[in-house]
Amino acid sequence: MLLTGMVPQVAEMLTAYPYAYPAWFLAAFLAVGLPVMKEAVETAFKGNVFSEFTLMSLASAGAFVIGEYPEGVAVMLFYTIGELFQQRAVGKARADIRALLEKRKTGVDVVTDNGITDTAPEKVPVGSVIEVKAGQNVAIDGILTDGDAYFDTSAMTGESLPRLFRKGEHVLAGMIASERAVRLVTVKAYEDSAVVRMMKMVEEASAHKAPAETFMRRFARIYTPAVTLCAVLLVAVPFVVSRLDASFAFVPSEWIYRAVVFLAVSCPCALVISIPLSYFGGIGAASRYGVLFKGSGSLDAAASVNTVLFDKTGTLTEGIFTVRETVCPQGVDPEKLLSLAAGTEAASTHPVARAVAGYAKERGIGMAAVTDTAEIAGYGMSGRYEDKPLFIGGLRLMKREGIAYPESAEHATGTIVACALDGRFMGYLVLGDTPKKDAEEAVLSLEKLGITDIEIVSGDKQPVVDSLAASLGITGTGDMLPDDKMARIKKLSASGRKVAFVGDGINDAPVMAAADVAVAMGAHGSDITVETADAVIETDEPSKMAVAVRAGRATVRAVRQNIALSLGVKIAVLSLGALGIVSIWGAVFADVGVSLLAVMNALRIVKMKLS
């Protein structure tokens, strides 16, 4: 309708009938303008009178008052198109995140007389027997009923080492069955489980966190009242002068008309389309690198980040154990130690046992012929080698069997697998969680961006955290509960820092809700963490945090450039207009030229290299 009404022949035909010409453009305006004006009213009632919606409404109303109907429609049309582009980018990112979550199992396997039934967790009554397969999350708190079993508790506690639960012990929702399928009797309804309690903590933390504000919103808060004040002064100042100087004739209609013209011309058309397009470009560019932003406010917040806190297990590390060191007393062959350990652990499915056996295989070391192997729950393994008693396990096992070992073993950083044959200490293996391949790159990339305040905050043991932190050249704090992490973020925020938190576990969700920017690992991160985060890294690569910051900075830089360009031209045109050199249509054409430049600058982000 806008383009049709601007065709000379159509315009001539419409003007032949009274009110037909303005009615045509009013109809076009209502289609795009009513939602924006409604938003302006609702926002004003919430206390934000000078929003971007108010700016658009004033500018378009001013254009209609002075008879520049196409200009009034164009203002709203450009703004709506820009917002649609931005919403499209956000919608795509959110759809990708939903696709990640939908790939995961959400039902619970309930054991009944007729077999196993996949049931929604909300519909599982207390006292039901549920089965959790190896690698699956426990959906509802329950009591372990079918023997001792190991569970990965890292999502809840941050500990990298699986924890042994004995028959009859309470297992929390969110933990993962490590080595075999287990059965539990539910002791709580789903809504009372540990995971749901964590979700409530997230909601409470989110309620105290101010929503991320877009650059456009902050700009409108200053620009809208400034423009409105100038328009008022354009009428008020001549009126006051006429009262002070009788020779100055004040004609109200003339100055009111000039004020309305000023409002119409001052509308930053270039901005109302280029700023949303800048966010569209930033979200799109980041998504090409596997970083999904949930909104334009998140991009703005990422641009201002100067402090990054990383969780450890599952974020900077793989959660997979490897042998880091072999320590033997004098006279013991390290290969002999490894052969004995691998021969004994070969019968176990524990992650540590698999790591030992795999390490021996990689080095071509054969497994010793160990017989009569048996698991000593919570301690390790026993067996016989050449008819001699053999024990493989932690230092607790050595103490239990009365076997002396060097004091240095107590201070080793990592998980210890000690070995004793026929009462003699044969040495120990030191295992640790494997850092992700790009963990070091993650730190270096952030430092290149000028972010040097990088920390690890983890629920894992302090010596383990210290070891990883030292290898990455950053600081780290272990033995932290979610409340401790939140306290750390609040302290940093209170000192003026802009904090990003990167994590993957359920226990990280409340912490994320408190951070300025929350980034979740999307591939293996918990559902609640992914839903809480401002951005999601699809590939679980911590180095992509630098991509998120670059995307935010590139977007904000383009927005600022477009604002400077638009306002510079706007001020020049308004000045020339005040001198009578440029008409309103001259201003419109100048603004269209600036709009094209601003749009080109905004779309440049889409192809920008972010890594």
Side-chain angles (χ1 to χ4, degrees):
M1 288 183 74
L2 173 64
L3 295 176
T4 303
M6 293 176 68
V7 174
Q9 293 85 346
V10 176
E12 185 179 345
M13 182 179 67
L14 289 172
T15 51
Y17 300 94
Y19 306 114
Y21 187 69
W24 176 272
F25 286 102
L26 180 62
F29 171 80
L30 292 176
V32 290
L34 276 181
V36 177
M37 296 177 77
K38 179 186 174 187
E39 198 75 42
V41 173
E42 291 176 354
T43 306
F45 274 115
K46 293 176 182 177
N48 185 12
V49 177
F50 296 111
S51 64
E52 69 267 37
F53 309 112
T54 306
L55 175 61
M56 298 303 105
S57 301
L58 285 174
S60 55
F64 266 83
V65 169
I66 62 175
E68 298 297 341
Y69 310 119
E71 168 83 350
V73 176
V75 167
M76 284 297 187
L77 183 61
F78 287 161
Y79 178 73
T80 304
I81 290 173
E83 288 296 306
L84 285 174
F85 271 110
Q86 182 180 320
Q87 288 169 15
R88 179 185 170 190
V90 172
K92 183 181 183 302
R94 290 185 181 274
D96 289 343
I97 292 168
R98 281 196 300 273
L100 278 175
L101 295 175
E102 286 169 1
K103 290 178 183 177
R104 305 176 185 184
K105 179 178 174 64
T106 55
V108 178
D109 288 335
V110 179
V111 180
T112 66
D113 294 337
N114 298 321
I116 295 177
T117 306
D118 187 8
T119 309
E122 300 86 355
K123 297 181 179 179
V124 177
V126 176
S128 300
V129 177
I130 63 173
E131 183 172 273
V132 183
K133 294 180 175 63
Q136 285 184 355
N137 283 284
V138 176
I140 307 171
D141 295 5
I143 299 296
L144 186 61
T145 62
D146 60 346
D148 301 344
Y150 282 93
F151 287 84
D152 179 351
T153 65
S154 59
M156 299 298 289
T157 66
E159 292 180 278
S160 53
L161 188 65
R163 190 194 301 177
L164 176 68
F165 284 77
R166 299 186 183 282
K167 181 179 179 180
E169 287 190 336
H170 191 164
V171 180
L172 295 178
M175 295 179 177
I176 301 170
S178 291
E179 54 184 4
R180 65 178 178 85
V182 296
R183 291 192 174 185
L184 310 167
V185 174
T186 60
V187 294
K188 292 183 179 179
Y190 173 73
E191 55 268 22
D192 297 322
S193 66
V195 171
V196 177
R197 290 200 304 273
M198 195 74 74
M199 290 174 69
K200 290 176 181 176
M201 287 177 62
V202 171
E203 290 170 3
E204 290 171 5
S206 298
H208 292 93
K209 177 183 176 182
E213 198 173 36
T214 64
F215 201 96
M216 176 66 175
R217 194 150 293 173
R218 296 197 299 272
F219 168 77
R221 189 183 294 162
I222 299 170
Y223 186 77
T224 305
V227 166
T228 305
L229 178 62
C230 288
V232 171
L233 289 175
L234 203 55
V235 178
V237 171
F239 174 75
V240 172
V241 171
S242 69
R243 292 295 179 180
L244 298 175
D245 184 359
S247 63
F248 182 81
F250 175 73
V251 182
S253 59
E254 177 185 341
W255 288 103
I256 291 173
Y257 180 82
R258 289 189 183 186
V260 171
V261 170
F262 179 86
L263 275 176
V265 175
S266 63
C267 175
C269 295
L271 298 185
V272 300
I273 187 169
S274 68
I275 288 181
L277 278 176
S278 297
Y279 289 118
F280 169 78
I283 293 171
S287 68
R288 286 193 296 112
Y289 289 86
V291 180
L292 307 175
F293 278 96
K294 292 185 178 179
S296 50
S298 303
L299 267 175
D300 277 346
S304 61
V305 164
N306 52 30
T307 302
V308 178
L309 305 185
F310 284 102
D311 176 47
K312 185 186 78 70
T313 309
T315 301
L316 288 175
T317 67
E318 299 282 4
I320 301 172
F321 288 92
T322 56
V323 178
R324 291 181 178 174
E325 189 180 4
T326 304
V327 182
C328 296
Q330 191 171 6
V332 176
D333 183 2
E335 290 193 3
K336 180 71 171 178
L337 166 66
L338 188 55
S339 177
L340 289 169
T344 309
E345 299 278 31
S348 174
T349 57
H350 189 281
V352 171
R354 289 199 297 266
V356 172
Y359 183 76
K361 185 177 180 180
E362 285 174 13
R363 278 148 187 74
I365 297 171
M367 297 182 183
V370 180
T371 59
D372 300 331
T373 56
E375 186 166 347
I376 307 171
Y379 288 91
M381 300 281 294
S382 67
R384 298 191 73 79
Y385 175 70
E386 296 180 347
D387 207 29
K388 298 173 185 176
L390 175 66
F391 293 97
I392 301 288
L395 296 180
R396 290 175 62 207
L397 180 59
M398 299 297 107
K399 290 177 183 177
R400 195 186 87 155
E401 298 300 323
I403 297 167
Y405 57 85
E407 187 180 347
S408 60
E410 293 279 4
H411 304 292
T413 301
T415 299
I416 300 297
V417 177
C419 175
L421 177 63
D422 198 22
R424 179 191 178 192
F425 184 70
M426 300 290 287
Y428 59 91
L429 305 172
V430 182
L431 285 81
D433 196 358
T434 310
K436 289 185 177 178
K437 293 178 181 178
D438 65 329
E440 186 175 358
E441 182 190 342
V443 174
L444 293 175
S445 299
L446 290 171
E447 288 177 343
K448 286 179 182 177
L449 293 172
I451 301 173
T452 55
D453 192 353
I454 306 169
E455 304 175 29
I456 299 173
V457 287
S458 174
D460 212 347
K461 297 178 179 61
Q462 186 65 52
V464 177
V465 175
D466 286 339
S467 176
L468 178 61
S471 69
L472 298 177
I474 57 178
T475 59
T477 306
D479 300 310
M480 297 188 83
L481 297 172
D483 287 347
D484 299 323
K485 294 180 183 180
M486 289 178 71
R488 178 63 180 150
I489 287 178
K490 288 176 181 177
K491 182 179 179 181
L492 288 167
S493 298
S495 65
R497 310 296 293 175
K498 294 295 181 182
V499 184
F501 180 82
V502 190
D504 72 309
I506 294 170
N507 63 327
D508 293 329
V511 187
M512 287 185 160
D516 294 298
V517 181
V519 181
M521 296 291 151
H524 296 100
S526 66
D527 292 3
I528 182 175
T529 307
V530 171
E531 290 171 356
T532 306
D534 300 302
V536 177
I537 297 175
E538 287 185 285
T539 56
D540 281 8
E541 297 171 278
S543 59
K544 294 294 178 69
M545 181 61 215
V547 170
V549 174
R550 288 192 190 98
R553 290 182 180 180
T555 302
V556 170
R557 187 163 55 246
V559 168
R560 287 174 175 168
Q561 289 167 350
N562 288 343
I563 286 177
L565 174 66
S566 178
L567 291 188
V569 172
K570 190 68 64 179
I571 291 169
V573 170
L574 285 172
S575 301
L576 294 172
L579 297 173
I581 299 174
V582 177
S583 67
I584 185 170
W585 270 108
V588 170
F589 284 123
D591 206 28
V592 169
V594 174
S595 296
L596 291 174
L597 290 174
V599 166
M600 290 170 64
N601 187 43
L603 294 178
R604 183 174 54 88
I605 304 172
V606 177
K607 301 296 182 182
M608 192 170 288
K609 188 176 180 181
L610 299 176
S611 65

